[in-house]
Amino acid sequence: MSRQIRSIRGMHDILPEQSGAWQWLEARVRDTLAAYGYQEIRLPILEQTELFARSIGEVTDIVEKEMYTFEDRNGDSLTLRPEGTAGCVRAGVEHGLLHNQQQRLWYAGPMFRHERPQKGRYRQFHQVGVEAFGLEGPDIDAELILVTARLWRRLGLDNLRLEINSLGSPEARASYRQLLVDYLSGHAEALDEEARQRLHTNPLRILDSKNPALREIIAGAPSLLDHLDQASREHFQQLQALLRAAGVEFTVNPRLVRGLDYYCRTVFEWITEDLGAQGTVCAGGRYDGLVAQLGGRPTPAAGFAMGVERLLSLLETRGGLPGLHPPHVYLVMAAEGALETGVQLAEALRDALPGLRLQMHCGGGGFKAQLRRADRSGADWALILGESELAAGGVGLKPLRQAGEQETLQRDALVARLARCLEISPSPHDAKESPVCP
Ligand code: HAM
């Protein structure tokens, strides 16, 4: 036997038993975003490497250590997207969607980072990203946070807390950076290897360090919030007032800095204690400089992305996820000429009952073996085309999950019965999963 090929470490298949939960979550995300007027944009997974280096920042973990970068056959350096904001801005500039316009956009799909895989941290993971362009006030920051708060309510999640901070203007941040470097240089001997490296490349990230040995030094560092420019301070205060008015609870965390360089002013994260170390399920902020940095006209912007795997894990801890979508009915055909009648019947039923999940038996075999398959499929009913049903011009209907006799129905009566039992709704997402037929 040849050697079996396995999936790449940190990149997972989403199996049929899981995909129902993904679809369930995606449908709720889509509806919630539509309720606020956001439109979907679909973006390529591969971009030019320079796009990420210029936006996320040359001295970030993502660009320095985590990107899947390769040369294609033309010798161009390409990268599997590690996040979606850069590509969304690139597309917005390229198609003239941003200048003097307001856009509310979202995208969903796989992202790639060569991180050390562990629970909640993968090399291929999925984000839903949301970006708003052309709006500079704190109102849009508040709206973005309200979208997420509504989504958590819809999903029944009450174990998420919101942390917010302001990074100020790039100028204010640059002078704060110098203050921070001066302060940390005074404690250089106590810093760990990583912090020492970051001291001259990305000192703000030291504030984010998880090393308990640095806790005290970090606690004593000057706070960015005390060094905000006036406009950023007002922006941040207005955002807090809006969140209070909307009844969204939050804490201000002056050490929240984010790992991507494009942010300014508002940054925020939704965090849970229920997923261990990878507790941030959604994060984002304002990035007013990025559009111009990528060749567009200066355009204010803000957004966030949520990690779909982390959200699903969180939902799983709550036991709130739907599983498989078994067929409603399984069609058994065991008689001479039954297959032709069966194929035609199955198509007619699917025409008559949108939303019906009908699985047709394939592969032949005797009546008993087919019924066993019907049972294993998880269907609520078997439809049966045997000799006697064919002779009577009808179809057998046999309940598989509850007591009751098999009966033979004519086709019209069968359609009416199934429609009543299944309460088939035009929207497949809202269809009843386990109808009980009286
Ligand atoms: P980020 O914080 O890098 O931000 O990622 C957003 C979310 O994606 C994280 O909070 C987490 O839930 C999820 N995530 C990140 N890395 C992984 C991983 N290796 N495995 C599983 N989940 C992960 C961004 O990507 C920004 N583009 C967000 C944004 C949009 N800011 C403005 N607009």
Side-chain angles (χ1 to χ4, degrees):
M1 242 182 3
S2 316
R3 188 177 63 87
Q4 192 191 343
I5 298 174
R6 306 188 68 97
S7 69
I8 295 167
R9 196 162 115 82
M11 305 203 180
H12 298 288
D13 302 305
I14 297 160
L15 300 177
E17 70 209 39
Q18 302 163 319
S19 59
W22 282 72
Q23 289 170 7
W24 179 87
L25 175 62
E26 284 157 4
R28 271 147 195 82
V29 170
R30 214 176 298 124
D31 290 354
T32 306
L33 289 166
Y36 289 79
Y38 286 76
Q39 308 285 340
E40 185 180 5
I41 182 165
R42 299 194 180 199
L43 303 160
I45 287 170
L46 270 181
E47 299 275 1
Q48 296 191 40
T49 303
E50 191 192 347
L51 174 69
F52 301 115
R54 260 168 62 184
S55 53
I56 297 169
E58 297 274 5
V59 287
T60 55
D61 284 351
I62 297 180
V63 171
E64 276 184 333
K65 302 189 248 179
E66 295 170 0
M67 295 206 304
Y68 282 89
T69 296
F70 60 94
E71 273 191 10
D72 76 353
R73 289 169 192 279
N74 302 330
D76 296 329
S77 179
L78 306 182
T79 293
L80 283 170
R81 62 181 184 192
E83 59 104 53
T85 309
C88 190
V89 171
R90 195 260 319 128
V93 172
E94 187 168 335
H95 300 287
L97 304 180
L98 306 185
H99 182 52
N100 276 341
Q101 294 170 69
Q102 297 177 353
Q103 295 285 354
R104 287 175 165 83
L105 305 174
W106 68 271
Y107 49 83
M111 309 289 160
F112 303 84
R113 297 184 193 176
H114 196 275
E115 299 194 78
R116 200 160 48 81
Q118 52 184 282
K119 190 173 159 33
R121 182 188 282 175
Y122 310 104
R123 290 183 173 172
Q124 174 175 319
F125 60 98
H126 296 74
Q127 283 185 345
V128 175
V130 177
E131 317 287 358
F133 296 98
L135 296 156
E136 62 187 343
D139 46 1
I140 191 68
D141 304 14
E143 177 181 288
L144 289 163
I145 289 173
L146 286 173
V147 171
T148 50
R150 177 172 298 277
L151 181 64
W152 312 149
R153 285 201 299 280
R154 257 207 101 180
L155 297 174
L157 293 175
D158 53 10
N159 49 347
L160 285 164
R161 65 188 161 78
L162 173 64
E163 291 190 357
I164 61 174
N165 191 20
S166 177
L167 301 181
S169 67
E171 300 74 31
R173 199 154 82 231
S175 53
Y176 169 75
R177 185 190 145 116
Q178 195 48 54
L179 271 180
L180 186 65
V181 171
D182 293 346
Y183 167 81
L184 291 170
S185 301
H187 297 81
E189 69 298 341
L191 297 180
D192 61 15
E193 179 63 27
E194 190 182 44
R196 231 170 282 153
Q197 273 174 14
R198 282 180 169 161
L199 189 55
H200 299 290
T201 55
N202 203 346
L204 265 71
R205 288 288 284 156
I206 299 175
L207 300 177
D208 227 13
S209 168
K210 303 282 179 289
N211 183 352
L214 298 187
R215 205 170 286 152
E216 219 172 293
I217 298 176
I218 292 171
S223 170
L224 180 53
L225 283 180
D226 295 334
H227 297 87
L228 288 185
D229 52 294
Q230 183 60 21
S232 296
R233 196 190 313 275
E234 279 167 18
H235 186 108
F236 194 44
Q237 276 160 2
Q238 285 166 9
L239 169 64
Q240 293 178 51
L242 286 172
L243 291 178
R244 280 193 206 98
V248 178
E249 285 180 31
F250 61 89
T251 51
V252 174
N253 174 2
R255 310 282 175 224
L256 180 66
V257 290
R258 311 273 304 120
L260 303 95
D261 275 359
Y262 48 63
Y263 293 109
C264 60
R265 294 197 172 170
T266 312
V267 287
F268 65 92
E269 292 192 351
W270 286 96
I271 302 163
T272 178
E273 307 306 326
D274 295 351
L275 291 180
Q278 310 306 321
T280 305
V281 299
C282 174
R286 189 160 266 291
Y287 50 95
D288 293 334
L290 185 59
V291 176
Q293 209 173 305
L294 292 177
R297 307 268 186 92
T299 306
F304 65 82
M306 52 192 137
V308 180
E309 284 84 355
R310 290 186 192 178
L311 263 181
L312 286 167
S313 301
L314 193 56
L315 285 160
E316 210 179 329
T317 63
R318 294 287 163 123
L321 283 179
L324 284 171
H325 287 243
H328 298 119
V329 293
Y330 190 101
L331 176 57
V332 166
M333 296 157 291
E336 186 74 25
L339 191 53
E340 287 78 359
T341 311
V343 168
Q344 199 260 335
L345 170 71
E347 288 301 291
L349 289 176
R350 292 190 188 103
D351 284 343
L353 297 166
L356 174 70
R357 295 194 296 273
L358 184 157
Q359 191 166 320
M360 184 178 90
H361 179 83
C362 286
F367 179 66
K368 278 204 169 140
Q370 291 197 31
L371 258 191
R372 268 200 303 278
R373 283 207 182 262
D375 194 40
R376 260 187 269 146
S377 76
D380 291 304
W381 289 282
L383 289 181
I384 295 165
L385 284 176
E387 308 251 327
S388 54
E389 287 81 15
L390 283 186
V395 187
L397 180 66
K398 180 179 168 60
L400 296 174
R401 311 282 153 215
Q402 50 189 308
E405 292 300 308
Q406 176 176 333
E407 36 181 330
T408 302
L409 299 170
Q410 295 302 304
R411 192 176 287 193
D412 287 349
L414 176 66
V415 168
R417 172 72 73 86
L418 289 176
R420 185 163 58 81
C421 292
L422 297 172
E423 294 177 38
I424 283 179
S425 124
S427 158
H429 296 299
D430 294 328
K432 291 252 177 337
E433 298 310 330
S434 302
V436 178
C437 185

